[in-house]
């Protein structure tokens, strides 16, 4: 059995166990939420889909501004690091 198939089986079993503990009222509410999700869920879902489809194959791909091996460490990062070290507690 493939890993994804195993995951699907586990999810299916979990779903059935979850449904067993919900009351009829809770089941109706869950169905209502699935059919008509709130606006903030729709926005979040849209952002998640957009973030996962950066490349044609659905995989994230670095752009031309991404750090590459051999590039110098960005000055902005070094400054932030120095500031964090200043605030770090010292042994006395």
């Amino acid at each position: 059995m493939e890993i994804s198939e195993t995951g699907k089986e586990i999810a299916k079993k979990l779903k059935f166990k979850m449904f067993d503990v919900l009351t009829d009222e809770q089941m109706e509410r869950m169905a209502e939420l699935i059919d008509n999700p709130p606006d903030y869920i729709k926005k979040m879902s849209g952002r998640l889909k957009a973030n996962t489809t950066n490349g044609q194959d659905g995989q994230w791909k670095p752009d031309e501004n991404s750090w590459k091996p051999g590039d110098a460490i960005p000055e902005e990062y070094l400054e932030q690091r120095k500031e964090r070290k200043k605030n770090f507690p010292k042994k006395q």
Side-chain angles (χ1 to χ4, degrees), residues 7-25:
K8 288 177 185 177
E9 280 295 315
I10 291 171
K12 187 176 179 181
K13 288 177 184 177
L14 178 64
K15 193 186 300 185
F16 281 115
K17 286 183 179 185
M18 181 183 74
F19 290 159
D20 281 344
V21 298
L22 296 178
T23 64
D24 290 341
E25 186 177 291

Side-chain angles (χ1 to χ4, degrees), residues 2 6-7 12-15 18 22 26 29 31 33 42 44 62 70 72 79 85-86 89-90:
E2 218 174 280
T6 305
K12 187 176 179 181
K13 288 177 184 177
L14 178 64
K15 193 186 300 185
M18 181 183 74
L22 296 178
Q26 291 171 328
R29 177 70 177 138
L33 287 171
K42 291 177 187 176
M44 184 175 56
E79 290 172 12
K85 280 189 170 187
K86 280 184 192 177
K90 295 178 180 146

Side-chain angles (χ1 to χ4, degrees), residues 38-89:
D39 289 338
Y40 65 90
I41 296 293
K42 291 177 187 176
K43 288 178 185 176
M44 184 175 56
S45 177
R47 279 187 293 201
L48 289 172
K49 287 178 185 176
N51 288 341
T52 58
T53 57
N54 188 0
Q56 289 180 342
D57 60 356
Q59 298 295 315
W60 179 85
K61 294 198 169 101
D63 64 9
E64 64 276 352
N65 297 324
S66 296
W67 182 85
K68 297 168 193 68
D71 286 355
I73 297 173
E75 191 64 34
E76 181 182 339
Y77 170 77
L78 293 174
E79 290 172 12
Q80 289 174 358
R81 183 176 171 198
K82 188 188 287 184
E83 284 299 315
R84 284 194 308 262
K85 280 189 170 187
K86 280 184 192 177
N87 298 328
F88 194 77

